[in-house]
């Protein structure tokens, strides 16, 4: 039978061994543990006035997105319309060129860009080279454009004008989320088919369940 001194040494070695084992397990666990997920960057929607735009138009667009999106909405300083987008034969501005210009010169830190103008805009539609439009959005792209021009001409009241402009902004922004035109009754993504006024007036102002169902879980969480 070992004497007392030997027993003390054996116990000491056991305690030391267990301590070293514990430290080793802690160190190994710290290497194997998954790293803490980095917080997602803040999503910012920049509203960019192009040319002279009434403040109430900008405020309406901002309010629409604040009521629908869990993102930060900011109104940026006004920019001049890009001269390369001017279409002299019809004295109006090409919306597709404006979007290209915005993509080439994006606002700093913006996740999506909503350009707002009062100028008359157009784009190519099918066989029609220059088709007058109220707005344009890049499907899945970073930018969209809305114009108050048509609604200013054909709205009898300010309330109707602002409601139609807000509906248009939500529609064009939906294209940047990846939504194509939708056939669901009342969906804000309905194709105006050249009838911007009646289309806005028949819209619910909201994305339908079918459209929302196409979003990723991350993007869906941003829509109220």
């Amino acid at each position: 039978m070992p004497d007392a001194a030997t027993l003390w040494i054996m116990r000491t070695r056991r305690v030391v061994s267990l301590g070293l084992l514990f430290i080793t397990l802690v160190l190994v666990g710290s290497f194997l543990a998954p790293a803490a997920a980095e917080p997602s960057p803040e999503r910012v929607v920049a509203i960019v006035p192009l040319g002279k735009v009434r403040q109430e138009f900008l405020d309406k667009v901002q309010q629409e997105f604040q009521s629908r999106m869990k993102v930060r909405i900011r109104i940026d300083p006004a920019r001049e319309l890009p001269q390369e987008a001017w279409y002299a034969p019809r004295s109006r501005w090409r919306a597709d060129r404006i979007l290209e210009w915005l993509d080439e010169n994006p606002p700093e830190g913006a996740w999506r860009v909503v350009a707002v103008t009062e100028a008359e805009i157009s784009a190519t539609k099918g066989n029609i080279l220059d088709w007058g439009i109220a707005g344009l959005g890049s499907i899945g792209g970073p930018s969209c454009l809305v114009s108050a021009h048509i609604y200013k001409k054909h709205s009898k009241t300010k309330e109707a004008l602002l409601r139609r402009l807000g509906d248009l902004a939500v529609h064009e922004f939906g294209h940047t989320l990846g939504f194509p035109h939708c056939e669901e009754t009342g969906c804000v993504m309905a194709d105006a088919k050249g009838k911007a006024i009646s289309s806005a007036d028949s819209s619910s102002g909201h994305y339908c369940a079918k459209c929302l169902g196409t979003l990723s879980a991350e993007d869906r969480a941003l829509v109220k």
Side-chain angles (χ1 to χ4, degrees):
M1 179 176 182
D3 57 24
T6 302
L7 287 173
W8 182 84
I9 292 172
M10 293 173 63
R11 291 194 188 99
T12 301
R13 288 175 175 172
R14 186 178 300 115
V15 170
V16 171
S17 297
L18 290 173
L20 291 173
L21 177 60
F22 176 77
I23 293 172
T24 301
L25 290 174
V26 170
L27 290 174
V28 171
S30 67
F31 283 114
L32 295 179
E38 289 292 329
S40 298
E42 182 181 29
R43 302 288 185 94
V44 176
V45 174
I47 298 172
V48 180
L50 297 181
K52 186 176 180 180
V53 181
R54 297 179 203 178
Q55 187 62 42
E56 60 188 337
F57 293 170
L58 302 174
D59 291 341
K60 176 61 177 177
V61 172
Q62 183 180 42
Q63 291 165 11
E64 289 295 328
F65 288 117
Q66 285 176 334
S67 69
R68 287 171 169 75
M69 301 295 296
K70 300 174 185 176
V71 296
R72 182 162 70 89
I73 315 297
R74 75 181 194 218
I75 298 177
D76 280 13
R79 299 186 185 185
E80 293 300 321
L81 286 152
Q83 284 303 311
E84 59 263 37
W86 176 245
Y87 187 64
R90 301 292 298 277
S91 297
R92 53 191 184 185
W93 302 85
R94 294 287 300 184
D96 46 356
R97 278 299 298 127
I98 292 174
L99 291 186
E100 290 173 5
W101 172 77
L102 282 170
D103 292 349
E104 294 166 0
N105 303 275
E108 184 176 357
W111 169 60
R112 290 288 190 273
V113 179
V114 182
V116 182
T117 187
E118 296 188 36
E120 186 176 4
I121 61 175
S122 63
T124 298
K125 183 178 177 67
N127 295 325
I128 303 174
L129 176 63
D130 193 65
W131 173 274
I133 58 175
L136 186 67
S138 300
I139 295 183
S143 306
C144 64
L145 169 67
V146 298
S147 170
H149 177 77
I150 292 175
Y151 301 130
K152 285 167 56 180
K153 288 181 62 177
H154 300 287
S155 297
K156 294 182 179 180
T157 66
K158 181 191 294 186
E159 290 73 18
L161 190 164
L162 292 176
R163 178 179 52 76
R164 290 163 175 167
L165 181 63
D167 185 87
L168 173 67
V170 174
H171 174 99
E172 301 304 345
F173 184 79
H175 284 316
T176 73
L177 293 177
F179 300 152
H181 286 141
C182 180
E183 297 297 329
E184 294 294 313
T185 302
C187 181
V188 71
M189 295 309 300
D191 186 355
K193 298 179 180 179
K195 300 178 180 179
I197 301 298
S198 60
S199 178
D201 290 348
S202 63
S203 169
S204 69
H206 295 276
Y207 306 121
C208 71
K210 181 179 178 181
C211 287
L212 292 174
T214 66
L215 292 177
S216 67
E218 183 179 9
D219 285 347
R220 178 66 185 88
L222 298 175
V223 183
K224 295 179 182 179

